[in-house]
Amino acid sequence: MAPSRAVPMSALRCLNKDAMRPLRSRLICRPTTSKVHAAASPYAYNFPRTIRRYASTAQEVATNSRSLVTRLKNLFLGTAIGASLILGYFYVTDTRAGVHQWVVVPSIRWFYDDAEDAHEAGTKALKALYEFGLYPRERGSEDRNDDLTVEVFGHTLRNPVGISAGIDKHAEIPTALLALGPSVVEVGGATPYPQDGNPKPRVFRLPSQRALINRYGLNSEGADSMAMRLRQRVREYAYAMGFGMDEAAEQRILDGEAGVPPGSLVDGKLMAVQVAKNKFTPDDDIEAIKNDYVYCVDALARYADIIVVNVSSPNTPGLRDLQRTEPLRNILTAVVEATKRINRKTSPAVMVKVSPDEDSEEQVAGIVDAVWASGVDGVIVGNTTKRRHDLIPEGYTLPNKEAAALLEQGGYSGPQLFERTVSLVKRYRRLLDDGLDAKSAKPSEVPNSATSTEPKQNKAPSGQTSTAPTSGASTADKIEATVQRDRANLKPATSEAEVESKSQPLLRLPARNSPSSPATHSASDSPALSSSSHLDQLSSSDRDTPSSATPSSSFQSSPTPSPSPSSSLSTNPPQSAPSSPSTVKPKVIFCTGGITNGKQLLEVQQAGAQLGMIYTHLVYGGVGVISRMKAEMREEISRQKKT
């Protein structure tokens, strides 16, 4: 069979024109005219040149106008989105934003029915936001006005607000909490060994009372774990400040070379670390208990501005029994001694946290005695309470769920504790100040190595008369008696006496004492006899400030002694002064329990506390409560000034 011959394209043009019409609209097929192409292929496609049709000028202007409008719309939309993101960032990261109180807190409570789960979620969220720089912080410069500053342990704090332990149990977010505006953040408590605490559920809400009941039982990851986290925080700060990130850089920061407190790492703020004993440590073994606290101090004190000794948790069996005078004194003394041994130029202050339930006169007095005997720097008055009476307003009926929660074991915290806490602060302030007065008066009564219990009488050299002051005379009378004695013992002003006096090496005669010398004298000249010299000649029990005076210093008198602080004693006799203020200082009081507004913070200060600390109010009010409380304080101070 003969092979079929291909039909040329020219023949196809005459065939089914209707079928070819769609193709012809895009492709015009022509018979080839090139012999070369015809020889190469019997078929050839000859593509026509593309025909461009240009729009008219009016159409071009319209198109350009539409493009310009589109570009302007895109620019406006992009700018609006960018501005919204920037403004949203500043709004959301400002503690004063209402979203934190009215949206964030209710949302967390709605998503997490268990209070502890909600707490952990909030901690993780704040930690993640801090890592990305999106954490809430106090904006503005109100604290820079120095209208709320307080002096605590030699530091000038920006405001009298603090955050109690329990918010940051494992020291995961201390810097983020400091950014919320408090002047003190307390982390912990930490125990020597890790412990899980009590079984869950162990935290219960009472929203109608804005209160909590918890029985955590001092759940802790251990002192070593917390120390590792705090060490890393210090080294990261050292690296950011250009000190490096090694051990030497860490030591420089802890020694204060960065100009900030070594604990908080923020000027005008402090960080406290709470320490406690393990639950399995025997309650009757005081040495083992002391070792628990000392172990925590050895691990954590380097990274703290304040060490808080917790002996008041109601959820650890036997812990509150340590508030008895003798065991408390032993524990606090061991902690104070341990803080002095840390490798740092400055030692952290030591405070003890006491329970609001140990409020009898005997208990409070015993705690105060232990504080003064051990050398502790202050007291944190208040903690959760085991008591349940007088907490709910009379006639108010709790919802069933809250009524059941109120019956749970654990420590109660909420606004209802405020009045009781303030009353307790007043009592501690009074007893601590009484102890200060007793401590200040004790050095003048109890002898030291430079002071004898028997008053020493100044013996006159042979040939001289003695006019010793009587023990019952005042200081001015005693000084005058020594003046009269020296005047009676002076030798006649003869040339022989002058030569003899110049031969004595312990006696220097100022030039102005010579009749032939001018009356002017230099500032370096000191009188041979002044009121301070006479005061030095008194018995050590009668002197206000001990000094060593030589007998020959009383042989010459100055007619016109140069003015000096000591010379004023002759005209203004001193009263019996206490011991040096550098050795006996007033104790500091922090108050925690039921504080919810700025007016209550002022009441706490008036009661005698330097600082008020919050916990439950922060849980219910969100991250903006500290800014609001400080604003309320300023408003109340302004109102009081007007009235």
Side-chain angles (χ1 to χ4, degrees), residues 166-232:
I167 295 293
D168 188 11
K169 283 184 169 292
H170 311 303
E172 297 177 286
I173 50 172
T175 308
L177 292 179
L178 286 167
L180 302 182
S183 59
V184 175
V185 167
E186 181 185 1
V187 299
T191 56
Y193 293 97
Q195 62 181 26
D196 295 330
N198 294 320
K200 297 181 179 181
R202 51 192 180 186
V203 186
F204 308 92
R205 301 190 190 105
L206 281 76
S208 66
Q209 306 302 309
R210 298 181 69 85
L212 291 172
I213 294 176
N214 85 82
R215 53 168 181 262
Y216 277 111
L218 285 173
N219 55 312
S220 171
E221 295 178 355
D224 293 330
S225 175
M226 181 181 290
M228 187 183 306
R229 194 172 287 119
L230 294 178
R231 182 187 304 115
Q232 180 66 19

Side-chain angles (χ1 to χ4, degrees), residues 86-100:
I86 294 174
L87 293 176
Y89 166 79
F90 281 101
Y91 174 77
V92 173
T93 58
D94 193 332
T95 57
R96 296 170 294 182
V99 66
H100 299 300

Side-chain angles (χ1 to χ4, degrees), residues 63-127:
T63 302
N64 293 340
S65 299
R66 286 194 297 271
S67 177
L68 178 62
V69 171
T70 301
R71 292 177 181 177
L72 290 176
K73 287 181 178 179
N74 292 339
L75 178 62
F76 176 78
L77 181 61
T79 304
I81 293 175
S84 299
L85 290 176
I86 294 174
L87 293 176
Y89 166 79
F90 281 101
Y91 174 77
V92 173
T93 58
D94 193 332
T95 57
R96 296 170 294 182
V99 66
H100 299 300
Q101 180 181 7
W102 306 113
V103 177
V104 175
V105 173
S107 298
I108 292 177
R109 288 172 52 191
W110 186 79
F111 277 108
Y112 298 95
D113 185 62
D114 183 76
E116 184 175 359
D117 292 341
H119 186 177
E120 293 177 355
T123 300
K124 292 178 180 178
L126 191 56
K127 183 179 180 180

